[in-house]
Amino acid sequence: MSGEAVKSLGSPDFSGGTEAGGGKSESVLKKIGVPLAIAVFALLLLMPTPAGLSYSGQKALAIFCAALTLWVAGSIPIYLTSMLAIIALTLTGTVKERVAFETLGFDVIWLMVSAFVLTAAMVKSNLARRFALWMITSFGGTPKRTLLVLIFINFALAFFVPSTTARASLMVPICVILLEIYRAVPGQSNFGRLMMLLGVQADAVATSGVMTGTAANMIAVKFIKEQAGTDIGYMDWLLAAMPSAILTMLLTFFVGLRLFDFRGESGFSEGMAKLKEQLAGLGKLTLPEKKAMVIFVLTLLLWATEDYQEAWFNGFGISVYMTAVIAATLCLMPGIGLITWKEANIKWDLMVFAAGAYAAGNALESTKGAQWIIGKLVYGLGLETMTPATVYVVVIFMSMLSHMIFTSKTVRTTIMIPAFIALAKTLGMNPVTLALAASFTLTYTITLPPHSKVNTIYFATGYFSVLDQLKYGLITCFIGAVLISLSVFTWFRLLGYGL
């Protein structure tokens, strides 16, 4: 597969829906999704109100479960399901109309809009491609070092390209070109297998370490703020998540070297010269690239210093959300910016989906429906008899493997983070610690090609099989869950998060 072919495959798609995938069971689920959702809604709404659950909570539960059924089944677009949820919440009197509609004005929605603008500007300016080629040609002298450089680039891009799919779109063409130069044959070369699989995993693991790495992280932060009463800043997330992310990626790298031993493969000696030719072909730094560099450096500085600005400037500070809006405005400003509004290609379906998800999730929380569900779950699984340490480990592993059922990160975040916050409250645990630890696992959609668009883009190159990804992905998920669990009892405590 040529670099141009992969580049066309890698066009960013931010629909926020359940990622594409085949399979008979998925087709059947799509067909029965609507009648199943109607049945779920009717059953939960018309059944006698259970003891301990208010009628408003029952209505919120019915609407949320019906929406959840449709989100998982994918019978209709997820944004349309969210719109139906908002309508149902209002017409049933579960929440007031203003409460249902105001979720579209949440600051996180503005952050997501700005993320699309920033991504489009980064891609159009060509700065990311130049950066990646420079890193490989400067530091990737051997095959192993090349793989480490590609991992580092994925981690670096996570800070200023807030989309997993966009980062894959930037990286896959470069990887394919590199492997063609190294004469790595798709389906036969272990070096090709490992490079592509590390790309999948580095994209996901790096995203877990950066709050703005994906919309799902930002949604989790919003739930923690709204339902646990704690505002998680950019640096808070980075300090808590990045150490375990880096350790997971390093251990994964060494495991990969054992699983896919590429010693004895030829063609490595010629690669660097051709990559240097490509970098030279880009010419001098262009004006759009210089503009992009200034905007992104400014954005990163403001994000990184958010927690310190009020102390430095007598109470004045610029939030993560306002920083993103400022950066997006600069990208769009005539004469200064890099793109037009149309080129930003903002996916409003994702915004509407997020708004409806917030409305349904917050209604379930405010009516105490979530607490009721979690209470039943606690007694059903016996979690109430477990030690807090055991609960943390169970929740982290459950959250890590949940992508095997729900392939959309945003849907999983909407379902699980409010539930874990309610679980912590029910058990008298720290809801922020539990929700934050669970949030770090939600980007690990790495075990099968249909589990994310990133997987699909890398899988389409033909360098690895489904079985390759499954076995490597499960090992990485296990490593990640173990390290995040250990972080809760060690690193989190040093950062001030109680159990």
Side-chain angles (χ1 to χ4, degrees):
M1 177 179 281
S2 70
E4 291 301 316
V6 176
K7 194 177 290 187
S8 66
L9 277 172
S11 56
D13 178 0
F14 309 98
S15 63
T18 302
E19 281 80 350
K24 208 173 201 179
S25 59
E26 184 176 328
S27 177
V28 171
L29 195 57
K30 269 192 174 182
K31 290 179 181 178
I32 67 171
V34 172
L36 184 60
I38 293 172
V40 167
F41 177 75
L43 178 65
L44 293 176
L45 186 65
L46 298 177
M47 72 178 185
T49 303
L53 181 66
S54 67
Y55 185 53
S56 293
Q58 182 178 354
K59 289 187 290 185
L61 179 61
I63 293 166
F64 183 84
C65 288
L68 173 59
T69 302
L70 288 173
W71 283 330
V72 173
S75 304
I76 61 176
I78 58 173
Y79 67 86
L80 192 55
T81 298
S82 287
M83 292 172 70
L84 290 172
I86 289 174
I87 293 169
L89 288 169
T90 303
L91 294 184
T92 59
T94 306
V95 298
K96 293 182 179 179
E97 183 176 301
R98 181 177 177 181
V99 174
F101 285 137
E102 70 184 4
T103 52
L104 195 55
F106 279 6
D107 46 15
V108 71
I109 301 295
W110 284 94
L111 183 57
M112 292 163 67
V113 169
S114 299
F116 286 113
V117 177
L118 291 168
T119 297
M122 189 66 196
V123 171
K124 185 180 178 182
S125 71
N126 216 29
L127 182 62
R129 180 175 176 82
R130 180 187 294 273
F131 170 74
L133 285 171
W134 173 76
M135 286 295 299
I136 294 170
T137 54
S138 300
F139 305 106
T142 66
K144 288 182 182 179
R145 282 170 57 186
T146 297
L147 293 175
L148 284 170
V149 167
L150 290 171
I151 290 172
F152 175 80
I153 293 171
N154 266 292
F155 271 71
L157 288 176
F159 285 93
F160 54 96
V161 180
S163 162
T164 55
T165 312
R167 297 198 297 273
S169 302
L170 291 168
M171 292 301 300
V172 167
I174 294 172
C175 290
V176 168
I177 292 166
L178 187 64
L179 290 173
E180 287 179 344
I181 293 169
Y182 285 162
R183 293 182 297 193
V185 179
Q188 298 179 24
S189 167
N190 272 347
F191 183 65
R193 284 190 182 91
L194 185 56
M195 180 180 288
M196 290 302 180
L197 287 169
L198 283 173
V200 169
Q201 299 191 2
D203 192 301
V205 176
T207 300
S208 74
V210 182
M211 191 184 87
T212 53
T214 180
N217 292 352
M218 295 179 261
I219 292 172
V221 166
K222 188 64 180 178
F223 277 127
I224 293 171
K225 180 180 179 180
E226 293 291 321
Q227 299 181 10
T230 298
D231 194 359
I232 301 296
Y234 184 87
M235 289 302 295
D236 295 326
W237 184 290
L238 186 69
L239 287 172
M242 189 53 76
S244 60
I246 292 173
L247 286 173
T248 297
M249 202 63 241
L250 286 175
L251 288 175
T252 295
F253 170 72
F254 290 115
V255 169
L257 291 177
R258 295 295 298 271
L259 281 178
F260 307 106
D261 186 357
F262 54 80
R263 287 174 295 182
E265 292 189 26
S266 61
F268 297 126
S269 59
E270 307 167 12
M272 282 303 137
K274 292 191 177 181
L275 287 174
K276 286 178 180 177
E277 286 178 16
Q278 290 192 20
L279 179 59
L282 292 177
K284 293 182 179 180
L285 207 65
T286 64
L287 181 59
E289 287 176 299
K290 291 177 182 177
K291 289 180 178 180
M293 190 178 296
V294 170
I295 292 171
F296 284 113
V297 168
L298 174 64
T299 303
L300 286 175
L301 286 174
L302 289 175
W303 275 340
T305 60
E306 181 208 5
D307 293 341
Y308 311 104
Q309 291 168 19
E310 290 189 9
W312 292 346
F313 303 112
N314 296 320
F316 175 79
I318 302 175
S319 69
V320 168
Y321 310 100
M322 184 55 68
T323 296
V325 173
I326 291 170
T329 303
L330 290 174
C331 289
L332 293 165
M333 188 71 71
I336 298 176
L338 300 158
I339 58 172
T340 64
W341 180 260
K342 186 175 181 181
E343 288 173 324
N345 193 27
I346 296 169
K347 297 295 182 180
W348 287 102
D349 52 355
L350 178 57
M351 309 304 154
V352 173
F353 161 70
Y358 286 137
N362 287 336
L364 197 60
E365 167 73 14
S366 63
T367 59
K368 308 298 182 184
Q371 288 89 328
W372 181 84
I373 295 171
I374 293 302
K376 296 297 182 183
L377 182 63
V378 166
Y379 289 109
L381 296 178
L383 291 176
E384 80 284 359
T385 64
M386 297 180 186
T387 64
T390 304
V391 172
Y392 276 110
V393 173
V394 169
V395 165
I396 288 167
F397 271 85
M398 183 168 58
S399 180
M400 177 69 78
L401 297 175
S402 64
H403 73 274
M404 303 289 286
I405 302 171
F406 308 119
T407 58
S408 169
K409 292 190 293 289
T410 46
V411 170
R412 288 164 60 226
T413 303
T414 302
I415 295 167
M416 304 194 78
I417 298 306
F420 293 147
I421 291 172
L423 172 64
K425 290 178 179 178
T426 300
L427 298 179
M429 297 167 61
N430 189 322
V432 176
T433 304
L434 188 63
L436 202 56
S439 298
F440 299 159
T441 71
L442 295 173
T443 64
Y444 282 66
T445 52
I446 56 174
T447 52
L448 291 171
H451 285 158
S452 80
K453 298 182 185 73
V454 171
N455 298 357
T456 304
I457 293 170
Y458 277 97
F459 183 72
T461 64
Y463 278 94
F464 61 88
S465 68
V466 173
L467 184 59
D468 291 332
Q469 184 173 6
L470 180 61
K471 65 181 180 182
Y472 198 20
L474 287 175
I475 292 171
T476 300
C477 283
F478 178 80
I479 292 171
V482 169
L483 289 175
I484 292 170
S485 298
L486 291 174
S487 292
V488 168
F489 306 117
T490 54
W491 182 240
F492 274 42
R493 302 293 292 275
L494 292 175
L495 295 175
Y497 297 101
L499 297 181

